[in-house]
Amino acid sequence: MKGSPRPPTGSRRLRVALVLSAVGMLAMAGAVVLPGDASAASTLGASAAERGRYFGTAVAAGRLNDSAYTTILNREFNQVTAENEMKIDALQPQQGQFTYGNADRIVQHARARGMQVRGHTLAWHSQQPGWMQNMSGTALRNAMLNHVTQVATHFRGQIAWWDVVNEAFQDGSSGARRDSNLQRTGNDWIEAAFRAARQADPNAQLCYNDYNTDNWNDAKTQAVYRMVQDFKNRGVPIDCVGLQSHFTGGSNYPSNYRTTLSSFAALGVDVHITELDIRNAPTDAYRNVVNDCLAVARCKGITVWGIRDSDSWRSGESPLLFNGSGQKKPAYDAVLTALNSGTGPNPTTPPPTGNPTTPPPTGGQCTATMTPGQSWGDRYNTSVTVSGATTWSVVVAITPPQKISATWSGSPTWDSSGNVMTMRSDGSGNTFGFTTMTNGNSTARPQIRSCTSG
Ligand code: G2I
């Protein structure tokens, strides 16, 4: 018999049938990615999107002319944070004079490609321009609030999440606020900044962001936790907490990291991993961070603090996912595999139901509500209803290789990638619709980027 095909016996047919149906059920459950599975996403952003999350990077405006850099950026990531260009010294170098050029370049690069933008950072003890460093008391408090208001207003509708306040707690065992000129204006400076940000851009999600807040047992983590709990109790507008997660410079991934993520989430805020880098990029620590985020429904995404090791603020530690030549490192493969193996909040139920309001609308003065429509093997319909405006434009992004193939009851325009549609009202009413071809990606779903009236 050796070498010749075996006739299918009854038991072999049964075994084949059982294996095939098991594979079918696993595929339907969506929880298992078989090795070599053609449906596994091949980029970080696409894979994260299939799990209802983002995978982003810090971006430096000065590198946007480097095509090796932008090739990786545009291919792999669906979220960006300006590494330095939205800091106070960059945006308001002289009091009352705002320079938005580099920050706007990053925002435009990202939004033209359907990437979400994290604003970093409105209020911080560090990177203050000279004029602010020399201020104190009421004058400083007012200058800080004015900065928050001006900047959040400038970027209104373009920023999904703001790091409203950055690094306001001390390291070590005290659990105290960090001493700074801002802290000396009064302990309520943080909540004042959050209220000003909410007023200036009501649709941006407002985050508190810090480092060394990864280990659940650390006094600093506990202190930030108590502040967020207090803000939630008193109605201070806070939506999210950013864990920078710089596991560089001597700080390690802690085994209780998932507890930290889920504990913050249990307060009713989203959690973001905002500045991830790990000394020498070990595969196990990167894999653990991804698995921990995927295990916590309110962990919305991961941002690495740079693309190539040569772009890192700690390049000597080679902490990132791409080497200086732009090649994928083993940590990249570990991250992508973990993302592809993970489950999302609702990864395979096409289309999602019970999600009447599409979060987070980042636009102006209206609300766009997405409702799943009919679906077929290769495509599905979505309808969007606008409230709060009679004339409007709604920006919808889809995840490639999906493509919108038909629209109705609105006037669409497209960005150069074809992945971001701006739908304007055409007088036919408040509801428009569109058909999306899945092109092999049956899990990703459209995202509402903004709703602007007028
Ligand atoms: O320090 C790492 C990060 C910790 N969390 C907050 C982040 O905002 C911070 O990012 C780093 C940037 O990666 C560095 O690139 O923040 C540093 C301080 O703002 C940045 O360094 C600055 C240098 O201090 C400046 O001298 C330099 O002009 O980068 C600037 C632009 O290269």
Side-chain angles (χ1 to χ4, degrees), residues 58 63 82-85 87 89 120-121 124 126-127 166-167 209-211 244 246 275 277 305 311-314:
R63 297 186 201 275
E83 186 173 0
N84 289 301
E85 293 77 355
K87 292 175 180 175
D89 59 350
H120 173 79
T121 174
W124 191 20
S126 182
Q127 300 299 114
N166 195 40
E167 302 177 355
N209 190 51
D210 215 328
Y211 67 92
Q244 293 183 9
H246 287 292
E275 304 183 14
D277 49 19
W305 205 241
D311 303 319
S312 169
W313 70 300
R314 284 190 183 271

Side-chain angles (χ1 to χ4, degrees), residues 34-105:
L34 301 172
D37 182 345
S39 74
S42 59
T43 68
L44 304 172
S47 185
E50 288 181 4
R51 275 130 205 106
R53 292 174 170 85
Y54 64 80
F55 204 98
T57 179
V59 163
R63 297 186 201 275
L64 290 176
N65 298 322
D66 171 353
S67 66
Y69 180 85
T70 53
T71 298
I72 304 172
L73 169 63
N74 298 348
R75 185 186 69 218
E76 296 289 343
F77 298 99
N78 60 354
Q79 182 274 336
V80 306
T81 305
E83 186 173 0
N84 289 301
E85 293 77 355
M86 291 190 195
K87 292 175 180 175
I88 313 171
D89 59 350
L91 294 185
Q92 199 181 172
Q94 306 296 331
Q95 189 168 17
Q97 288 177 19
F98 290 82
T99 51
Y100 289 113
N102 284 333
D104 284 344
R105 276 186 70 206

Side-chain angles (χ1 to χ4, degrees), residues 111-114 396-405 413-422 436:
R111 284 169 57 82
R113 290 162 181 80
V396 178
I398 49 113
T399 305
Q402 294 195 352
K403 274 273 177 268
I404 293 179
S405 59
T413 52
W414 304 87
D415 78 335
S416 57
S417 72
N419 301 322
V420 181
M421 172 179 77
T422 300
T436 310

Side-chain angles (χ1 to χ4, degrees), residues 108-284:
Q108 280 155 17
H109 184 99
R111 284 169 57 82
R113 290 162 181 80
M115 304 168 178
Q116 290 183 286
V117 182
R118 174 178 209 87
H120 173 79
T121 174
L122 292 170
W124 191 20
H125 69 277
S126 182
Q127 300 299 114
Q128 293 182 0
W131 63 266
M132 188 180 266
Q133 291 175 28
N134 294 328
M135 290 179 99
S136 63
T138 309
L140 173 61
R141 173 67 69 96
N142 289 338
M144 180 275 285
L145 293 175
N146 182 55
H147 183 84
V148 170
T149 301
Q150 299 291 328
V151 172
T153 301
H154 173 84
F155 291 108
R156 182 181 162 120
Q158 306 185 71
I159 301 288
W161 311 274
W162 267 115
D163 289 336
V164 178
V165 171
N166 195 40
E167 302 177 355
F169 282 80
Q170 262 178 38
D171 291 315
S173 59
S174 73
R177 294 281 184 88
R178 175 196 297 275
D179 179 50
S180 72
N181 60 349
L182 290 168
Q183 181 62 31
R184 290 192 292 271
T185 69
N187 207 49
D188 63 343
W189 74 276
I190 298 181
E191 60 196 83
F194 273 83
R195 292 188 203 279
R198 178 68 98 225
Q199 205 171 4
D201 186 352
N203 291 319
Q205 301 270 297
L206 306 182
C207 302
Y208 175 79
N209 190 51
D210 215 328
Y211 67 92
N212 281 353
T213 47
D214 313 293
N215 188 322
W216 179 239
N217 295 326
D218 282 355
K220 189 170 172 181
T221 310
Q222 292 295 314
V224 172
Y225 177 85
R226 283 193 300 276
M227 179 187 74
V228 175
Q229 187 176 46
D230 172 54
F231 280 11
K232 293 297 286 182
N233 286 341
R234 290 191 295 114
V236 176
I238 185 168
D239 306 301
C240 38
V241 170
L243 305 185
Q244 293 183 9
S245 304
H246 287 292
F247 299 126
T248 43
S251 176
N252 293 322
Y253 164 84
S255 59
N256 60 18
Y257 190 62
R258 192 178 296 191
T259 302
T260 306
L261 296 175
S262 60
S263 300
F264 276 110
L267 291 176
V269 288
D270 288 337
V271 188
H272 299 251
I273 297 168
T274 53
E275 304 183 14
L276 180 65
D277 49 19
I278 313 182
R279 183 165 35 113
N280 299 327
T283 52
D284 54 349

Side-chain angles (χ1 to χ4, degrees), residues 1 4-13 15:
M1 292 294 286
S4 60
R6 275 187 302 168
T9 62
S11 72
R12 184 159 183 268
R13 264 203 306 272
R15 216 167 50 232

